[in-house]
Amino acid sequence: MPLPDDLDPATLAAHGGGATDTASAGIVPPIQPATTFLRDPKYDLVNPANIYSRDDSEALRAVETLLARLERGAAALAFPSGMAATAAVFRSLPNGARIVLQSGIYYGTSKFAREFCARRGLALLEVDASDPQALQAACAAHDPDLVFVETPSNPWLKTVDIRRAAETAHGVGARLVVDSTACTPVLTQPLSLGADIVMHSATKGINGHSDVLAGALVTRDPDHAQWQTIATDRHDAGAILGPFEAWLLLRGMRTLPLRMERMSATALELAQRLATDTRVAEVFYPGLPSHRGHDVAVAQMRGGFGGLLSFLVRGTRQDALDVIGRLQLIQRATSLGGVESLVEHRQSIEPDSGIPETLVRLSVGIEAPEDLWRDLDQALG
Ligand SMILES: *Cc1c(COP(=O)(O)O)cnc(C)c1O
């Protein structure tokens, strides 16, 4: 039964976007692993929506419908990873295309973009897009077809003013793509602010349980030629999310708004405590009034500032590693957006990106805030 149009995202998500099982009357959808679907004796498809699972599947359609509704978009495409979604955007660009990419973002995106553009002869310019003047100047000088930003960025938590970035991009005839992974569709809806395509690593907050690798693109305008190219490329090249992953994602998303609310509230609490702690040199969190991008974050984020925060430990690289090593509850692992808190020493992972040696990145989960604070407190020594 389709859900009413005017529901709050929390309600939509809790109902899995309305996906049920009409065959068994189960209140959750089934997992259908079939790769191929029957034709009748007249050779008509028994269910015209289903031919072969590289094209599409029921669980995939359910996830994409829910993602599009939560992002206030018109269509979504799910991919087997966030990077597959980003790669799909880059692959849709014509030969000779020009790209402005935000600097200091998710390392995998920067690395992929540099290598892809070099190989394909595309002109790539990286700029600190959290500075609107710098973005404007880069767009004026480079005349891009595509502007790609990430907000809040990883691991600096820099915020990009999406509305201004969209005006700037559109002013030079470029399309704006926003990696909104840290926000999930709950905290910001970049399409409503003028972005043309939203990208997500659904591996992170959208799934939220560190057990599915997935990505998504969402658009307002599915008839646009670039979106059509992306959709055709996914279909023909086969970068599609499998039915088990799609099913798990839909299940994870039932609690997405609740998780984001809790993670954001706890992250703010921890950021505030760290910000007044003499053992900490600096805290990067968009929810803190002292943060450079706080005003932009307040203007474009709703219901919280996300679960990602970074801070600088006083002392040396070894001091930061010692703090991380003493953590007992917060687990040492890459990734973010899961129900369990994770810690990372980003400089060890990307030594050449100018990330401070003393930077500790936390992905705050849904644990009791006091337990997390006690762990941080003892680890800071
Ligand atoms: C993890 C991540 C990606 C890449 O997503 P995968 O699902 O790991 O491929 C892209 N952007 C951001 C901001 C991320 O955190």
Side-chain angles (χ1 to χ4, degrees), residues 80-86 105-109 148 150-154 179-182 199-204 212-215 308 335-336 361:
S81 70
M83 285 316 302
T86 295
I105 56 169
Y106 180 72
Y107 182 59
T109 306
F148 191 109
E150 173 185 309
T151 183
S153 72
N154 181 356
D179 180 340
S180 195
T181 297
M199 175 266 157
H200 285 288
S201 168
T203 311
K204 314 295 168 54
V212 175
L213 200 63
L308 199 59
S335 201
L336 56 110
R361 194 194 78 184

Side-chain angles (χ1 to χ4, degrees), residues 118-141:
R119 206 164 57 236
R120 278 271 309 275
L122 308 185
L124 178 70
L125 178 66
E126 295 182 58
V127 64
D128 181 357
S130 70
D131 175 349
Q133 267 100 36
L135 181 61
Q136 180 91 53
C139 284

Side-chain angles (χ1 to χ4, degrees), residues 3 7 9-20 27-29 66 250 253-254:
L3 295 173
L7 295 176
T11 311
L12 259 184
H15 284 253
T20 55
I27 64 161
V28 301
L66 180 55
L250 194 66
M253 284 172 72
R254 288 175 185 265

Side-chain angles (χ1 to χ4, degrees), residues 352-364:
D352 306 321
S353 326
I355 293 175
E357 294 183 332
T358 58
L359 186 138
V360 176
R361 194 194 78 184
L362 279 185
S363 168
V364 178

Side-chain angles (χ1 to χ4, degrees), residues 17 23 70 72 105 124 140 142 190 204 210 255 269 328 372 378:
L70 292 179
R72 294 189 222 149
I105 56 169
L124 178 70
H142 196 65
K204 314 295 168 54
S210 308
T255 54
E269 168 84 32
Q328 292 168 359
L372 293 175
Q378 63 80 23

Side-chain angles (χ1 to χ4, degrees), residues 61-374:
R61 282 194 289 273
V63 156
E64 290 174 345
T65 304
L66 180 55
L67 279 169
R69 284 189 75 175
L70 292 179
E71 276 293 0
R72 294 189 222 149
L77 291 167
F79 291 83
S81 70
M83 285 316 302
T86 295
V89 170
F90 277 78
R91 274 207 309 274
S92 73
L93 296 169
N95 290 342
R98 311 178 63 80
I99 299 140
V100 167
L101 178 71
Q102 186 181 346
S103 58
I105 56 169
Y106 180 72
Y107 182 59
T109 306
S110 307
K111 179 175 186 294
F112 168 79
R114 287 169 196 158
E115 289 171 15
F116 182 84
C117 291
R119 206 164 57 236
R120 278 271 309 275
L122 308 185
L124 178 70
L125 178 66
E126 295 182 58
V127 64
D128 181 357
S130 70
D131 175 349
Q133 267 100 36
L135 181 61
Q136 180 91 53
C139 284
H142 196 65
D143 191 22
D145 302 284
L146 177 80
V147 175
F148 191 109
V149 301
E150 173 185 309
T151 183
S153 72
N154 181 356
W156 289 100
L157 283 305
K158 288 189 179 178
T159 53
V160 177
D161 184 333
I162 297 170
R163 203 183 288 279
R164 275 182 83 168
E167 279 164 17
T168 301
H170 296 159
V172 295
R175 304 252 292 160
L176 177 69
V177 178
V178 177
D179 180 340
S180 195
T181 297
C183 286
T184 80
V186 174
L187 303 180
T188 304
Q189 293 85 39
L191 299 176
S192 333
L193 299 167
D196 298 293
I197 295 178
V198 180
M199 175 266 157
H200 285 288
S201 168
T203 311
K204 314 295 168 54
I206 291 181
N207 180 61
H209 294 73
S210 308
D211 55 9
V212 175
L213 200 63
L217 299 175
V218 192
T219 186
R220 264 182 289 128
D221 182 9
D223 296 328
H224 191 281
Q226 186 188 18
W227 186 261
Q228 290 296 322
T229 302
I230 292 170
T232 303
D233 184 71
R234 185 187 72 164
H235 175 271
D236 296 352
I240 200 154
L241 190 68
F244 288 103
E245 284 78 8
W247 189 91
L248 270 172
L249 198 54
L250 194 66
R251 177 188 166 133
M253 284 172 72
R254 288 175 185 265
T255 54
L256 169 60
L258 197 61
R259 286 185 280 105
M260 290 313 290
E261 191 183 314
R262 174 64 175 261
M263 285 160 65
S264 298
T266 306
L268 179 61
E269 168 84 32
L270 296 178
Q272 284 166 341
R273 292 201 197 183
L274 289 167
T276 56
D277 197 298
T278 52
R279 297 167 294 181
V280 170
E282 193 169 355
V283 181
F284 305 102
Y285 187 67
L288 294 179
S290 58
H291 186 77
R292 256 191 50 203
H294 182 65
D295 290 346
V296 170
V298 168
Q300 71 189 23
M301 298 178 83
R302 294 269 178 283
F305 299 97
L308 199 59
L309 72 94
S310 297
F311 60 92
L312 303 180
V313 169
R314 282 196 199 282
T316 63
R317 177 173 201 271
Q318 193 54 50
D319 290 317
L321 284 169
D322 288 346
V323 169
I324 289 171
R326 281 192 294 266
L327 287 164
Q328 292 168 359
L329 174 66
I330 301 173
Q331 310 202 62
R332 288 168 289 277
T334 193
S335 201
L336 56 110
V339 289
E340 65 289 300
S341 295
L342 301 178
V343 65
E344 258 206 301
H345 187 251
R346 280 308 306 173
Q347 199 268 338
S348 294
I349 309 295
E350 32 178 329
D352 306 321
S353 326
I355 293 175
E357 294 183 332
T358 58
L359 186 138
V360 176
R361 194 194 78 184
L362 279 185
S363 168
V364 178
I366 62 165
E367 300 95 332
E370 273 314 315
D371 286 335
L372 293 175
W373 175 251
R374 247 189 325 192

